[in-house]
Amino acid sequence: MVIGSALGLLVAGCASFPEQPGPAGWSAAQQLTPQAGPVPELPGELPKAPQGQEPGQSQTPVPPPQGCKDFNPAVVGTCLDPVSGVALTDVNPSTGAVTALATERSTGRLVRVAKDVDPVELARFDVDAAADGGLTGLTLSPTYPEDQLVYVYVTTATDNRVMRIAPGDVLKPVLTGIPKGPSGNRGVLAHDRTGALLVATGDAGDPASAADPASLAGKVLRIDGSGRPAPGNPTAGSRVLASGLRSPGGLCVSGDGSKTWVTDAGASADLLYRVEAGKALGDAAWSWPERPGVAGCASMSDMVWVATSATPGTLSLPMNPDGSFTGKPEPMLGGEDGFGRLGPLVALDDRTALAGTVNKAAGGTPVSSDDRVVIILRPDAAGGSKD
């Protein structure tokens, strides 16, 4: 069940990038409750359901969208191109109004979105969006409330790279020279509990490069904010944390920092890997030969939540505390109350996540307000049904 009254419930690419001007329209940090790295917090509790009503259920139907106006209170941003990355930046403690950032893969835009407000373009990257490339990854600095730093993963005309964006500053390359090829250009970002930046890279169409320790392709990299190998990496002087990816779609770290997961479009199946430092990814923790299009992921205390970009909704994998799975993936949010096909997914707490839709991509069924940034609630946490 998607949050019926989400906001009320929560409160009740080029070498020339460094010479570009800094993002326009950037606002100063507000003293609210922003996402702060891997363990964002949101104010408030879910209210008790009225008598005879399941928790999380809406009492009245939500009207369909009218143009870019979307009446579902779980919707944060509307009328975007297919969304490739999302990040929560502010939650107003008085009103529950949410502000977020979103990236569009093919246009190269980074925008700020808020309910019933037109998206504000903060930066635009010159991207090569052929195949699976473009502007594909987004994450905030672990100290975003203080420094307002944003990191993105970009496919340029010559390479794949990580860029850093700060208000009033030029767009700066953090890590360049990640191989680019006819496929395998998608990359995604996250931070671990130490504040190191995690970068999952594609194999650039060369599977051998994913196993080559000297190549940045097909890897989970662990770097500092300047692109250097982060302290504590398995091999001193190397950025490589794990190897063996093809085209990663999601990268997520559990709230306690003990588990890291990455989704991947493998050669013959969609895959979910558990990342272990210094080890090749090897056998997948779960595989989907039917290819639902696994994308963003969220590592909750008792499940891994995976967005699917080829089929509507999400999948949840019930999980033991040690990271082993207790059953088959369960479909969630695929019914009429869902938002269609989802790409990025970021945990906000153990019950909710921020997601972006990709309904305008090939095969999707968009509504007038697509593509959207939305807040979703896990059905089992709300006591509702899975569909």
Side-chain angles (χ1 to χ4, degrees):
M1 175 70 66
V2 176
I3 297 177
S5 54
L7 307 186
L9 290 178
L10 289 173
V11 171
C14 293
S16 62
F17 282 167
E19 284 71 50
Q20 295 184 21
W26 209 286
S27 61
Q30 302 178 43
Q31 299 304 311
L32 302 177
T33 310
Q35 180 181 9
V39 197
E41 296 180 357
L42 293 178
E45 297 292 333
L46 287 169
K48 295 181 180 179
Q51 186 174 2
Q53 179 184 334
E54 291 291 334
Q57 287 186 334
S58 176
Q59 298 183 56
T60 57
V62 177
Q66 296 180 6
C68 292
K69 172 72 174 179
D70 199 301
F71 298 93
N72 192 323
V75 173
V76 179
T78 63
C79 287
L80 302 171
D81 270 20
V83 180
S84 58
V86 291
L88 179 74
T89 56
D90 294 307
V91 179
N92 189 310
S94 299
T95 66
V98 168
T99 303
L101 300 182
T103 53
E104 298 172 334
R105 183 184 74 85
S106 59
T107 69
R109 292 202 310 160
L110 169 70
V111 297
R112 182 173 63 235
V113 296
K115 185 72 175 178
D116 297 327
V117 177
D118 289 340
V120 176
E121 182 175 314
L122 300 178
R124 185 185 289 261
F125 298 84
D126 187 5
V127 301
D128 182 351
D132 57 351
L135 177 55
T136 61
L138 169 68
T139 193
L140 305 181
S141 162
T143 53
Y144 178 82
E146 290 77 37
D147 58 33
Q148 297 265 286
L149 294 179
V150 177
Y151 295 87
V152 295
Y153 192 92
V154 180
T155 306
T156 76
T158 57
D159 68 356
N160 290 290
R161 57 178 57 187
V162 180
M163 303 288 295
R164 184 176 71 228
I165 308 163
D169 198 359
V170 296
L171 309 175
K172 293 183 177 179
V174 171
L175 180 61
T176 62
I178 301 170
K180 177 189 176 185
S183 62
N185 295 302
R186 186 168 61 170
V188 286
L189 305 174
H191 279 90
D192 69 14
R193 289 287 288 170
T194 71
L197 180 62
L198 303 180
V199 184
T201 69
D203 67 3
D206 178 15
S209 66
D212 181 358
S215 174
L216 296 177
K219 304 295 192 298
V220 178
L221 309 175
R222 184 171 177 268
I223 60 176
D224 64 17
S226 299
R228 296 182 294 265
N233 277 1
T235 301
S238 172
R239 299 178 177 90
V240 177
L241 186 68
S243 57
L245 292 172
R246 183 172 177 264
S247 179
L251 183 61
C252 52
V253 181
S254 61
D256 63 4
S258 65
K259 293 178 282 292
T260 300
W261 307 90
V262 61
T263 65
D264 192 25
S268 59
D270 286 350
L271 306 167
L272 174 70
Y273 292 107
R274 184 168 180 180
V275 179
E276 297 185 79
K279 297 182 180 179
L281 293 172
D283 293 335
W286 203 272
S287 64
W288 291 269
E290 68 275 21
R291 289 194 178 280
V294 295
C297 63
S299 183
M300 308 300 205
S301 62
D302 59 350
M303 75 169 190
V304 176
W305 203 2
V306 179
T308 52
S309 60
T311 58
T314 64
L315 297 167
S316 70
L317 286 84
M319 183 178 63
N320 290 315
D322 65 358
S324 61
F325 296 124
T326 60
K328 294 182 179 180
E330 299 177 1
M332 292 182 173
L333 311 178
E336 294 182 358
D337 291 331
F339 289 105
R341 305 190 307 172
L342 301 176
L345 182 71
V346 176
L348 302 182
D349 56 23
D350 212 40
R351 301 170 299 173
T352 57
L354 189 69
T357 72
V358 291
N359 292 314
K360 286 182 179 177
T365 308
V367 297
S368 68
S369 59
D370 274 324
D371 272 305
R372 296 171 284 178
V373 176
V374 299
I375 299 172
I376 57 176
L377 173 71
R378 32 183 298 189
D380 54 331
S385 66
K386 293 182 177 62
D387 295 317

